Amino acid sequence: MSLTTTIHLNFRGDARAALESYRSAFGGELTVVTYGDAGNAQEESEADQVMWGQVIAPNGFHVMAYDVPSRMAYDRGENSFFVSLRGQTAEEVTGYWEKLSEGAAVVVPIGPSGWAPAYGMLRDRFGVVWVLDVVSGHNG
């Protein structure tokens, strides 16, 4: 038996932009179903918002997201979760860092740490905190 977990991010109107940004950073295929596509738009202004979306990349990256409708409570929160991205080499992780860091607030600059050849933390322009590092035991 196999089990897979996928991070599902919740936004208020930014889900499509976030998914497009992550596809740009990691590659892969973007799939989006809007509330209008599904005939489920409670508010006309939300018809083009994401009811279900995901990016799946051949390199193993997978993220899902949607726009929380205005009729539901939404609080982006602070430090409620981190997205951990672990690569095999410092070069690989640094390449993703460079793409994710556009418009981001750097919490910990990427660089060598006591436990990994590369580690860094940033809050992207969508408010998502990313922790990037190299899997222990690998050099980069």
Side-chain angles (χ1 to χ4, degrees), residues 19-134:
L19 288 168
E20 288 172 350
S21 176
Y22 303 148
R23 178 186 44 133
S24 176
F26 299 104
E29 185 175 330
L30 169 67
T31 305
V32 170
V33 176
T34 66
Y35 286 99
D37 292 339
N40 196 21
Q42 302 288 319
E43 301 286 333
E44 187 175 328
S45 63
E46 296 175 350
D48 288 335
Q49 290 188 358
V50 177
M51 186 176 97
W52 180 84
Q54 71 176 4
V55 172
I56 296 179
N59 60 11
F61 181 79
H62 185 193
V63 68
M64 297 172 68
Y66 95 119
D67 287 310
V68 177
S70 61
R71 70 183 183 278
M72 295 174 63
Y74 173 74
D75 180 358
R76 183 161 89 176
E78 292 295 321
N79 295 321
S80 56
F81 66 90
F82 296 151
V83 178
S84 173
L85 181 71
R86 306 191 98 184
Q88 297 296 314
T89 67
E91 291 79 13
E92 176 187 25
V93 169
T94 301
Y96 292 128
W97 173 273
E98 290 170 359
K99 293 174 184 175
L100 287 172
S101 64
E102 295 175 19
V106 174
V107 179
V108 177
I110 194 153
S113 72
W115 61 90
Y119 167 84
M121 179 187 291
L122 61 82
R123 180 181 307 274
D124 74 14
R125 66 181 197 230
F126 305 104
V128 176
V129 177
W130 292 79
V131 178
L132 288 79
D133 67 354
V134 174

Side-chain angles (χ1 to χ4, degrees), residues 10-22:
N10 302 332
F11 297 95
R12 177 78 76 168
D14 289 327
R16 182 185 301 271
L19 288 168
E20 288 172 350
S21 176
Y22 303 148

